[in-house]
Amino acid sequence: MLSPKMLQALNDQLQAEYFSSYLYLAMAARCADLNLPGFAHWFRVQVQEENQHALKFFDYILLRRGTVELKGIEKPKGDWPDAPTVVEDALKHEQYITQRIHNLVKLAREENDPATEAFLQWFVTEQVEEEASVDGLVQQLKILGDSPSGLFIMDRELAKRQVGGAE
Ligand code: OFO
């Protein structure tokens, strides 16, 4: 049995994963508006990954015979001026999610719940990859600076991303 505290924290993370999905959907929409279809595609793939993260929490709660509580999802912002601000916000968001996952691991230890701690290990590793892939975009955009042709080429590269791959 999950402790009440652990159950609440897992349900909160289920909500946070769906917020991640919603945020990246907003980023996909903004990138499409900015005429960057490759960036838009990259974020749409990210949406699918976040939905998978959410479902992992959903399935785990049920597996432990906990009650899933679906909470409301906040409206994400959508007014990023350009690609660098979009990806910088995506990186900040991933860093925030990493912190949340680490807090969950801490709570699982405090609640003496090694099964949940083991379940969370997948997310600990995943967050390292998530941060690295978004940081890769931030760094590439810094190198490009104001080069429209560089941005065009990068956009074409991002259009090739497939589900399960960082790029
Ligand atoms: Fe982007 O890793 Fe889940 O939220």
Side-chain angles (χ1 to χ4, degrees), residues 13 16-17 20 24 46 50 53 93-94 97 126-127 130:
Q13 190 60 29
E17 297 295 342
S20 299
Y24 292 139
Q46 196 68 16
E50 298 301 350
H53 295 173
H93 182 70
E94 286 304 331
I97 292 292
E126 175 70 4
Q127 281 311 117
E130 291 271 280

Side-chain angles (χ1 to χ4, degrees), residues 7-31:
L7 175 60
Q8 193 190 328
L10 292 170
N11 271 316
D12 286 347
Q13 190 60 29
L14 170 58
Q15 177 196 36
E17 297 295 342
Y18 274 123
F19 177 75
S20 299
S21 168
Y22 218 35
L23 175 67
Y24 292 139
L25 195 59
M27 289 178 170
R30 184 62 187 128
C31 289

